[in-house]
Amino acid sequence: MNWLALTYFLSLGTLAYQGQMFSPEGSGVFTTPSPSFQTTLGVEAELLDNHLFVGGSVQTWESPSSVSTFQPSEALYVFSAGLRFGGAEIGYRHECDHAVISNWGDFSLSGFQANRDELYLSYTGQLRVF
């Protein structure tokens, strides 16, 4: 029986994306310059044989800039906690997207500002075909 286990992950990637924002006042198109790079760093503590967990991660998008090496454009933070038994999981998840300071010279903000909270119940199973 494990009383405490720590898991961690690091993810790197690249992808250009664009989106559109809709509001009653109108819509606006936003694009992330190509190439854009994504870095995700996360950690989770599992207690009592993985029955209780708490964890978090941060995902940052950055693009090359003429002013500095990279210009961050988005930072997504995730916090989660809950219980696991067998394949069932019940938990709480908070996700928040924050604007970031992209240039320390003028302290201008860039990015999005949003958040959501979620109470969830999920089940993960396995089906052996061969």
Side-chain angles (χ1 to χ4, degrees):
M1 176 176 189
N2 290 328
W3 289 99
L4 173 66
L6 296 176
T7 60
Y8 58 91
F9 66 90
L10 173 66
S11 169
L12 305 171
T14 179
L15 180 66
Y17 69 93
Q18 70 179 27
Q20 192 164 1
M21 180 185 72
F22 296 97
S23 69
E25 294 81 27
S27 64
V29 175
F30 58 89
T31 60
T32 299
S34 180
S36 290
F37 300 95
Q38 172 270 126
T39 305
T40 304
L41 179 62
V43 64
E44 182 177 276
E46 301 167 345
L47 301 147
L48 306 174
D49 255 352
N50 195 25
H51 293 301
L52 176 65
F53 68 93
V54 61
S57 67
V58 60
Q59 182 181 79
T60 306
W61 285 87
E62 56 268 337
S63 301
S65 169
S66 60
V67 177
S68 61
T69 307
F70 287 101
Q71 182 174 345
S73 60
E74 184 176 350
L76 175 66
Y77 297 89
V78 178
F79 167 79
S80 59
L83 300 169
R84 294 179 180 131
F85 291 97
E89 180 175 309
I90 184 168
Y92 166 77
R93 182 179 300 122
H94 173 79
E95 297 180 2
C96 49
D97 209 349
H98 289 276
V100 295
I101 296 174
S102 59
N103 184 348
W104 284 102
D106 62 5
F107 292 99
S108 61
L109 292 175
S110 65
F112 304 98
Q113 188 77 24
N115 67 67
R116 78 175 182 163
D117 292 296
E118 176 183 14
L119 291 173
Y120 67 92
L121 175 62
S122 67
Y123 181 78
T124 303
Q126 196 176 53
L127 178 64
R128 293 181 183 237
V129 178
F130 296 103

